[in-house]
Amino acid sequence: MYAIGGNSAITTAPAALVSIDGTTGLVAGILTYNPRIKALSSKTIGDEITYTGEYISIIDGKGTNLAPSGASSVTINGKTGKFVSIH
């Protein structure tokens, strides 16, 4: 596994959700998680999609880990692929 957003590999993340910016085609974010711990669920309201699960890390398009302690809920703009909120 390669390092994502840091100097060490994230070895406990067997799955990832990748968000793509719909206007540029570039990666807007990567959400790493372990589906064996908790499956993801989603809810859409307007252009926003909220994914609930147990995230190990949330990496933005520049490689910065926005949730180094993990997160349980992430809302993404469905058109831009960018993060609206992280909890």
Side-chain angles (χ1 to χ4, degrees):
M1 169 162 292
Y2 296 98
I4 299 174
N7 295 328
S8 62
I10 299 169
T11 59
T12 58
L17 177 66
V18 178
S19 177
I20 304 295
D21 185 320
T23 57
T24 66
L26 299 174
V27 172
I30 301 171
L31 298 85
T32 62
Y33 67 99
N34 187 337
R36 294 181 198 109
I37 295 172
K38 184 176 182 180
L40 294 183
S41 62
S42 65
K43 181 178 180 180
T44 303
I45 299 175
D47 290 338
E48 295 182 353
I49 308 165
T50 299
Y51 294 96
T52 304
E54 291 299 320
Y55 298 102
I56 297 163
S57 62
I58 299 174
I59 313 300
D60 69 8
K62 296 179 182 178
T64 302
N65 187 349
L66 302 176
S69 297
S72 60
S73 177
V74 178
T75 301
I76 298 172
N77 181 298
K79 290 186 176 180
T80 66
K82 295 182 180 175
F83 299 121
V84 175
S85 67
I86 299 170
H87 301 283

